[in-house]
Amino acid sequence: MKKDLLKLLDLSREEITEILNIADQLKYEKKHGIAQKHLEGKTLAMIFEKNSTRTRVSFEAGMFQLGGHALFLSGKESQIGRGEPIQDTARVLSRYCDGIMIRTFGQDEVEQLAQYATVPVINGLTDFCHPCQVLADLLTVREHKAVLEGLKLCYIGDGNNMANSLIVGGLKMGMEVAAACPEGYDPDPQVLAFAKSGPAHRFTLCRTPQEAAAGADVVFTDVWASMGQEEEKAVREKAFQGFCVDAGLMALANPGCMVQHCLPAHRGEEIAADVFEAHAQEIFDEAENRLHAQKAVMYLLMKEN
């Protein structure tokens, strides 16, 4: 039976750990010039209904490094953009390719694509979640801190797809999670229900960044207005005043606290320029790890498909 990566809610702690371990190995091999032709002859269809830099480049480069080939399909230029039902696209691409990655708006579109596809489907981002990014985030934190369990993960900002996936991923890996969001910008109810469902889950939804950042081992943030929310920019700037990761906020965290940002970053809004530059090595390690984490996902899903 084929497997997909649609959201972190679908994965167990053991499955996430396996992805991270394989990513570690693939990263080691890449750094040491060891050939990685695990997906030789395989083809990945990449559907983009949202613009991208890191997602496109990391998946395309990753497939090439694994010996396979990636095909870019713009939503505007493919038949999806002209109204072809997603279930038809799924069945056609399954006849041509060995896997499908999609970056789009609605989570329902990804779920429906997976329902009708006979090849693995990977969620490259939806408005609900961003599983590949958070796998890369967990990989980066583990590289710098050696462990995940027992660390405190703090998220400052909009309760968006990043917040949703960080809460799920952090809790599944045994981390304490605190999210600071203004009123009206909470994470998805499904994610909040998950956070409350596990007896071992340590989760706090805060209204001030200071409460969330106290004793943190890693601080995450993201832009205040995501793609498709540009017309809300002025309203959001007012709502998120004070939700900036700056030196004063970092002083409340544990010594050696990491900072992570999925990029692109708006310096002076969600993160101060000096804090960004002080933690640039960690942030760009995180960006690089999109490549290695996604290679691990493709390896696991497509190698035997």
Side-chain angles (χ1 to χ4, degrees):
M1 185 175 179
K2 79 180 181 80
K3 293 184 178 180
D4 307 298
L5 176 61
L6 308 182
K7 54 188 181 295
L8 293 185
L9 283 166
D10 298 334
L11 301 184
S12 67
R13 179 174 181 168
E14 292 72 26
E15 288 170 325
I16 294 173
T17 300
E18 182 182 19
I19 293 170
L20 301 185
N21 290 344
I22 291 175
D24 270 338
Q25 180 62 31
L26 292 174
K27 184 173 184 177
Y28 174 88
E29 292 174 359
K30 177 69 172 62
K31 300 292 185 185
H32 290 81
I34 300 170
Q36 301 177 323
K37 302 304 180 183
H38 307 296
L39 298 183
E40 191 165 13
K42 302 278 188 179
T43 303
L44 177 73
M46 306 188 304
I47 303 171
F48 284 87
E49 296 189 292
K50 279 191 174 187
N51 294 335
S52 166
T53 299
R54 280 156 289 278
T55 299
R56 179 178 178 180
V57 174
S58 55
F59 269 107
E60 198 160 331
M63 273 300 287
F64 175 78
Q65 291 171 18
L66 291 172
H69 183 68
L71 299 169
F72 173 78
L73 300 170
S74 166
K76 294 177 182 178
E77 297 169 1
S78 67
Q79 294 299 330
I80 291 178
R82 299 182 61 208
E84 180 173 55
I86 193 73
Q87 59 264 37
D88 292 355
T89 298
R91 288 180 283 200
V92 168
L93 292 179
S94 294
R95 303 293 183 104
Y96 299 150
C97 302
D98 303 286
I100 304 170
M101 188 283 297
I102 182 167
R103 181 179 171 94
T104 188
F105 294 89
Q107 181 70 19
D108 58 335
E109 189 172 358
V110 176
E111 302 277 350
Q112 190 176 23
L113 183 70
Q115 180 184 348
Y116 285 91
T118 56
V119 297
V121 171
I122 301 169
N123 180 352
L125 174 142
T126 65
D127 291 343
F128 173 67
C129 65
H130 201 351
C132 289
Q133 176 65 58
V134 171
L135 289 170
D137 296 343
L138 295 172
L139 180 65
T140 310
V141 175
R142 195 174 76 166
E143 284 179 345
H144 283 260
K145 299 289 189 181
V147 297
L148 293 172
E149 186 171 10
L151 297 180
K152 181 178 178 181
L153 183 161
C154 164
Y155 174 82
I156 308 291
D158 185 22
N160 58 14
N161 48 13
M162 278 301 301
N164 291 335
S165 290
L166 283 167
I167 291 167
V168 174
L171 292 176
K172 280 183 178 274
M173 298 309 292
M175 304 175 80
E176 178 184 353
V177 179
C181 308
E183 288 275 3
Y185 296 92
D186 288 353
D188 190 273
Q190 182 182 358
V191 169
L192 294 179
F194 165 78
K196 296 174 184 175
S197 68
H201 290 174
R202 293 177 296 158
F203 173 73
T204 310
L205 180 61
C206 309
R207 292 302 176 208
T208 68
Q210 291 76 18
E211 181 185 357
D217 298 296
V218 54
V219 172
F220 285 84
T221 190
D222 192 10
V223 295
W224 294 340
S226 299
M227 280 182 286
Q229 299 172 333
E230 288 80 6
E231 59 190 38
E232 302 175 29
K233 190 173 189 297
V235 174
R236 284 173 171 266
E237 283 178 352
K238 185 176 180 180
F240 285 89
Q241 284 303 308
F243 280 75
C244 178
V245 178
D246 57 17
L249 193 71
M250 292 303 298
L252 301 173
N254 282 339
C257 179
M258 296 174 63
V259 173
Q260 298 279 265
H261 194 307
C262 61
L263 304 176
H266 294 167
R267 293 164 175 82
E269 291 185 10
E270 75 276 0
I271 188 167
D274 59 338
V275 172
F276 184 96
E277 291 304 326
H279 295 271
Q281 182 65 49
E282 300 157 12
I283 291 169
F284 290 103
D285 284 348
E286 174 190 15
E288 178 188 338
N289 280 338
R290 283 289 300 277
L291 172 69
H292 308 299
Q294 288 164 189
K295 284 169 69 175
V297 170
M298 292 187 289
Y299 171 88
L300 282 167
L301 297 184
M302 296 175 63
K303 189 174 187 296
E304 302 302 331
N305 185 61

